[in-house]
Structure formats: C-alpha cells, structure tokens
C-alpha cells in the first residue's frame, strides 16, 4: 500500500507563500502522474496541478502563474509552491498519485486570511 504524507500547510496572509510537500512511501518514479487537489468548505474537490512522470505539468486556470508543481524522484517527494495566495485558495490540499492504483494523502489545511 502506497502512503502519501503531506506537510507544509498553515495560516498565511493574503499575498503570502507556502510550499506543500508530499512524501511517498514508494518510488514516485513508478507513478504515471502525481497531483495536488483541494477541497474548500462546501465545495467539490478540484484538481489544482498535476505532473506526469515525464515532467509535463497541468494547472487549474485560476492558479496559473501563481502555483508551481514539481517532483524530486530522488526524494520521492512532490511539491506545490504557492505564491500570491488569496483567501479563495483556502482549502484542504490533498496529494494524489496514479500508478498501479490511485492513492490519496490525508490532506493538509491551507488558510489564507488577514
């Protein structure tokens, strides 16, 4: 069973930055795709950013230019650098992996508020 552990969430003021990390219990090199999703209160979970094994990235339109997803295969870790955070970015952020199966982390809370 693959385990994904997120970290790096917290409370930040509007305009601030956070970097989320997702550490996998197995080699992420074997994963076809890694991604970050988020779920705000009362809303459906949505895909924020994804990165394939080949390094191709895809982003939700509202976060383009502000967030960057990256992966470090040597550390089995995926990152989400979030800049210029806004209150509407407040959500629980989940790490996701697609390999032989699909896997989810437990989530990390990001709150953007003054």
């Amino acid at each position: 069973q693959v385990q994904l552990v997120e970290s790096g969430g917290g409370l930040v003021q509007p305009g601030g930055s956070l970097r989320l990390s997702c550490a996998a219990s197995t080699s992420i090199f074997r994963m076809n795709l890694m991604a970050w999703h988020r779920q705000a209160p009362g809303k459906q979970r949505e895909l924020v950013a994804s990165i394939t094994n080949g390094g191709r990235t895809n982003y939700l339109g509202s976060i383009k230019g502000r967030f960057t997803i990256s992966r470090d295969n040597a550390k089995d870790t995926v990152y989400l650098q979030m800049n210029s955070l806004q209150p509407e970015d407040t959500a629980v952020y989940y790490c996701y992996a697609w390999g032989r199966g699909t896997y989810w982390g437990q989530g990390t809370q990001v709150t953007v508020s003054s």
Side-chain angles (χ1 to χ4, degrees):
Q1 181 71 14
V2 176
Q3 292 185 328
L4 303 173
V5 179
E6 302 100 332
S7 61
L11 173 64
V12 63
Q13 292 185 344
S17 298
L18 284 174
R19 187 177 81 155
L20 304 183
S21 299
C22 171
S25 63
T26 189
S27 172
I28 65 170
F29 180 76
R30 300 178 181 180
M31 298 297 173
N32 300 311
L33 181 141
M34 303 288 295
W36 288 94
H37 290 70
R38 69 185 181 187
Q39 187 166 19
K43 295 187 178 181
Q44 290 188 334
R45 191 172 297 190
E46 62 181 357
L47 174 65
V48 175
S50 64
I51 184 167
T52 68
N53 194 25
R56 177 177 293 182
T57 58
N58 187 47
Y59 295 95
L60 177 69
S62 63
I63 60 92
K64 279 185 179 179
R66 299 190 296 123
F67 293 9
T68 303
I69 189 171
S70 60
R71 60 193 289 166
D72 186 336
N73 290 343
K75 295 183 178 180
D76 296 323
T77 301
V78 176
Y79 303 98
L80 185 67
Q81 178 67 43
M82 306 186 293
N83 300 326
S84 301
L85 283 161
Q86 301 301 316
E88 53 266 33
D89 296 316
T90 295
V92 178
Y93 284 71
Y94 296 91
C95 183
Y96 166 89
W98 170 44
R100 288 188 175 183
T102 58
Y103 311 97
W104 291 92
Q106 81 288 349
T108 185
Q109 176 70 47
V110 172
T111 303
V112 185
S113 175
S114 56

